[in-house]
Amino acid sequence: QQQGEQAGVQGEEGVEAEDDRSREIRSSCLKLLAQVWLRFPDALDYNAAWPEFLPAVQPLLPRLLMEAVAEKEPPLLSCAFALSASPHLLPVLGNMPSTTPGHTLPLVPAPQGSHTANSSMATGEAEECGKPGQQDSQLVFPQELLPGWAKQGLGGALMRSCIAMLTAKRCSQASRVTVLDMVDSILEFAEEGPEEAKQAVLEGQSEGGLRGPAVMSLVLEPWLDELLVALKTIVTAAWEGKGSAEAKQSEQLGPKAKAGRKRSRGAHRELSVLEKLGGRCASPTTALLLGDALAALVGGTTSGSSAGGAGAARAGKSKLDEVGLARALGALSSLWGRLAAAGGLKVAYGGDKAIGLDTMWRYWETMSGLALRLSTRDARTSLASAFVAAAQLLDGASSTDAAVHEGRGVEGGEGGGEPMAVDEGAAAASTHGCGALRAARLLEDLTSWQVDSVDEMNYERRLEGYKALNSTQWAALGRRKALPLLLAAHHDCRNPADLALRQAASQALERFIQGVKQQQQQQQQ
């Protein structure tokens, strides 16, 4: 019996040793393939390899999420990056055959009415400009030419699994940066036009492959919503202090800087990806996800933060500098402006405007804290533009719903009761919206600059803006809409170099206090 038990133990140890050897051999093979594809992406036609490679790695895809916590990037992720780094191998991630130098994919126009849901915003903008919509120019690969592995979606499954690695609770810096490198590479190919393609050939790259707008729709767009959710996850985790140990361990990347790899860390990396995605976002739903990620990047908190001053207070904890904040706010302004032109919150939320209004008011509060913090011209100008774009969405919603949600925020706000309430003036403003656009335009006045001078304030417009903030106007605004104006005035009150502006801001704050006092007296009567 003892001999039998010993034999069993030895057998188990032998199986474990064999499994270890198998894993080592598999990892070595994947690393070798990654190096071959990274260094010789167009040396030969690799299409004969995909029917063997992609089915073989499918059982490994669920393990990528667990391997995301490793200090070194998983070998399969290295293979995926190598595919994304070449226009000839990139089509594999979009379930299409790879190409050879001088050859392109035989893409054809999509059948009429078969454009994706993510083209609705671009289509609406094109129709407003009198141009054909995106569905007229969308290209697809002919179904009859697809190989078996492509029809099964094996290449797209690899792309999706790599994006999912970003959602791992303790995703390592090496894995995170590699996935972002993949997305960056894909977006760079998507931005290439004819001139950029010619320049790439002059720089020694081979001609052909998959380039231009088709890259976005065929490779990245199917997983765009999941990518935006993942980006928001890692941004939020960074603000909450998660993953700091991995970040410290990755400071010495050393030999990890492979050929063609651009290694960068910090929130600016996510911002760069979000900016590029924002320029190609065509779906209202995707626009909301992108706005959520950008708002988390700006405020250092999620859109689900509590109401009241808490969101504004947390805005000061963003790890972006003012240059980064200006870029993020500019991206938000552009994105929300396009969303307003495409139908606003009603279209984005499928008719459920209540959720959209709650979300936009939280964005409003998050950005309000920046009116006190920011000081440079670009940052404050971008902030005002973002408020105008958000106000267009809020005013575009039904006036009744907007007023109800604004009132709800006043009655249930945190941090000091209700300094302002929605009165008859706010109700009157709501006949043409909720009055948010009026507040945003006033903030534009308070942060205005001379267009023909460098870093010179537009004193006349700023002083007129403060003059317009009388006690009646303050009362009509309501607490949430007044918040960015209050903080902007407080910002100018701390300006030691300009007495006139400081005095105008302090007088506006004094009128605010008088308006609150009068309102409280009226309520008591």
Side-chain angles (χ1 to χ4, degrees):
Q1 185 178 1
Q2 291 179 350
Q3 291 178 352
E5 292 177 355
Q6 290 177 356
V9 171
Q10 291 176 356
E12 292 178 359
E13 293 177 352
V15 171
E16 292 178 358
E18 185 176 352
D19 290 342
D20 290 339
R21 287 194 296 270
S22 298
R23 280 193 291 268
E24 291 178 4
I25 294 173
R26 184 170 60 240
S27 297
S28 299
C29 291
L30 290 173
K31 292 177 181 179
L32 177 60
L33 286 173
Q35 288 298 315
V36 170
W37 291 333
L38 194 63
R39 298 178 183 276
F40 311 104
D42 52 7
L44 51 88
D45 186 354
Y46 291 106
N47 280 305
W50 310 132
E52 303 295 333
F53 170 74
L54 291 170
V57 300
Q58 291 305 302
L60 305 179
L61 298 185
R63 293 182 55 85
L64 280 177
L65 194 60
M66 296 182 289
E67 293 176 351
V69 302
E71 294 183 11
K72 297 181 180 180
E73 64 189 47
L76 183 55
L77 178 59
S78 301
C79 289
F81 171 78
L83 297 179
S84 71
S86 167
H88 298 288
L89 303 181
L90 178 60
V92 175
L93 297 176
N95 297 316
M96 295 172 290
S98 56
T99 64
T100 52
H103 295 81
T104 57
L105 293 174
L107 302 179
V108 296
Q112 185 69 22
S114 65
H115 62 287
T116 63
N118 277 2
S119 63
S120 56
M121 275 178 65
T123 300
E125 291 176 354
E127 289 174 353
E128 288 185 0
C129 299
K131 299 178 182 179
Q134 178 177 335
Q135 71 271 27
D136 296 331
S137 59
Q138 183 142 353
L139 300 176
V140 296
F141 192 88
Q143 290 290 322
E144 61 274 12
L145 300 180
L146 286 175
W149 61 265
K151 292 180 180 179
Q152 298 176 38
L154 302 186
L158 175 59
M159 181 70 192
R160 184 181 189 181
S161 298
C162 292
I163 291 175
M165 294 177 69
L166 295 176
T167 63
K169 291 184 178 180
R170 296 185 62 83
C171 181
S172 68
Q173 183 80 351
S175 297
R176 180 179 67 85
V177 170
T178 301
V179 176
L180 292 178
D181 282 339
M182 288 180 59
V183 177
D184 257 340
S185 178
I186 294 171
L187 291 173
E188 286 178 4
F189 289 129
E191 293 171 355
E192 281 192 10
E195 295 300 324
E196 289 81 2
K198 291 180 181 178
Q199 183 63 30
V201 173
L202 293 176
E203 293 176 356
Q205 299 182 22
S206 57
E207 188 178 1
L210 183 60
R211 305 174 188 267
V215 173
M216 187 72 181
S217 60
L218 295 176
V219 179
L220 197 57
E221 190 174 282
W223 324 116
L224 189 54
D225 289 358
E226 297 179 28
L227 173 61
L228 292 173
V229 171
L231 286 172
K232 178 175 178 281
T233 299
I234 59 178
V235 168
T236 305
W239 296 160
E240 293 174 352
K242 298 177 181 178
S244 57
E246 293 89 341
K248 292 178 181 178
Q249 292 174 357
S250 63
E251 289 298 322
Q252 298 178 347
L253 291 173
K256 298 299 294 180
K258 300 179 181 179
R261 304 291 285 272
K262 295 180 180 180
R263 295 285 183 173
S264 60
R265 298 175 294 277
H268 281 273
R269 183 60 189 280
E270 286 76 19
L271 174 58
S272 176
V273 173
L274 290 172
E275 282 182 308
K276 293 178 181 179
L277 290 174
R280 296 186 172 275
C281 180
S283 162
T285 303
T286 303
L288 291 171
L289 289 172
L290 181 55
D292 207 20
L294 283 167
L297 195 60
V298 168
T301 181
T302 64
S303 64
S305 62
S306 57
R314 273 191 289 268
K317 297 182 179 179
S318 172
K319 295 183 180 180
L320 285 173
D321 56 17
E322 293 211 10
V323 175
L325 286 169
R327 291 169 54 195
L329 290 167
L332 273 175
S333 175
S334 175
L335 187 68
W336 287 340
R338 295 175 62 198
L339 184 58
L345 299 178
K346 182 177 181 180
V347 173
Y349 285 94
D352 189 356
K353 293 174 292 187
I355 298 177
L357 286 167
D358 283 335
T359 302
M360 290 309 301
W361 280 123
R362 282 193 286 264
Y363 290 157
W364 184 282
E365 289 187 348
T366 297
M367 295 190 302
S368 294
L370 298 177
L372 176 62
R373 171 188 171 187
L374 301 179
S375 59
T376 62
R377 174 174 181 163
D378 289 343
R380 295 187 72 80
T381 301
S382 297
L383 177 64
S385 299
F387 268 106
V388 170
Q392 289 173 341
L393 286 173
L394 290 167
D395 275 6
S398 109
S399 58
T400 303
D401 287 347
V404 167
H405 280 76
E406 168 65 4
R408 182 183 303 168
V410 171
E411 295 171 1
E414 294 180 358
E418 48 177 77
M420 296 289 283
V422 178
D423 65 355
E424 296 178 357
S430 294
T431 59
H432 300 288
C434 67
L437 190 57
R438 170 61 176 160
R441 295 300 184 191
L442 283 170
L443 184 64
E444 272 192 322
D445 292 339
L446 302 187
T447 58
S448 58
W449 301 78
Q450 295 286 359
V451 296
D452 55 352
S453 302
V454 178
D455 290 341
E456 182 177 344
M457 301 178 185
N458 189 333
Y459 284 101
E460 182 178 355
R461 187 177 174 186
R462 291 195 182 199
L463 294 177
E464 286 296 324
Y466 280 122
K467 185 178 179 180
L469 286 171
N470 52 42
S471 57
T472 303
Q473 182 65 62
W474 278 119
L477 286 173
R479 182 189 61 80
R480 278 180 168 171
K481 295 188 290 290
L483 182 59
L485 300 174
L486 280 170
L487 294 175
H490 184 45
H491 174 274
D492 286 341
C493 280
R494 300 190 306 179
N495 184 356
D498 197 308
L499 177 61
L501 190 63
R502 191 165 67 247
Q503 184 176 5
S506 61
Q507 289 174 350
L509 291 176
E510 183 179 354
R511 291 192 293 269
F512 166 76
I513 296 173
Q514 293 173 352
V516 172
K517 183 177 180 180
Q518 293 174 2
Q519 199 171 55
Q520 290 176 344
Q521 291 175 350
Q522 292 174 359
Q523 291 175 352
Q524 290 174 358
Q525 294 176 356

